[in-house]
Each structure stands twice: as C-alpha cells, then as structure tokens.
C-alpha cells in the first residue's frame, strides 16, 4: 500500500543505550531536534554522555590497568 512504512527496529539494553535503526530524528524537551543518518543509532539512557542524546559509552564501568 502506498505510504506504508516498515516498522523501525528498537533494541533496549538494560546495561546500555537504546539502539534504533537509523536514520532518526530525536525531539528534545527544549524543542531542539537531534538528527543522525547512521545505520544504527545508540541513544543514551544514562544521561552521562557528553554527546547526549547520543551515547558515547559513558555508561561503561571504567577499570584502570595496574
């Protein structure tokens, strides 16, 4: 049927970001829109990312090598 779209795949990882098949537009509370044309987009859920709303792996536990 014309105009019908395939469902967008979203993967929720309890220990990490939400992965969404891209491209995506994310409407933020302040009214701005963040866009990504990547194949898969990692959306931050921990709010530690310096690239919020996109994940920069800040959620990972840091372990120092001795």
């Amino acid at each position: 049927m014309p105009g019908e779209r395939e469902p967008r795949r979203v993967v929720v990882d309890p220990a990490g970001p939400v992965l969404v098949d891209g491209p995506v537009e994310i409407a933020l509370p302040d009214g701005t829109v963040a866009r990504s044309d990547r194949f898969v987009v990692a959306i931050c859920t921990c709010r530690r990312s310096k690239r919020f709303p996109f994940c920069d792996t800040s959620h990972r536990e840091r372990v120092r090598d001795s």
Side-chain angles (χ1 to χ4, degrees):
M1 179 171 226
E4 242 182 82
R5 298 186 325 189
E6 291 292 317
R8 185 92 43 202
R9 181 184 157 119
V10 177
V11 179
V12 179
D13 179 352
V18 173
L19 302 176
V20 181
D21 285 352
V24 298
E25 286 188 353
I26 303 168
L28 300 171
D30 65 2
T32 60
V33 176
R35 293 179 175 88
S36 176
D37 292 327
R38 299 185 114 193
F39 183 71
V40 175
V41 180
I43 300 173
C44 176
T45 58
C46 72
R47 294 195 156 265
R48 293 183 200 144
S49 175
K50 289 184 174 85
R51 297 184 57 235
F52 187 84
F54 304 110
C55 179
D56 67 0
T57 69
S58 292
H59 62 276
R60 293 184 184 163
E61 186 176 320
R62 305 290 189 225
V63 178
R64 290 185 178 222
D65 292 332
S66 299

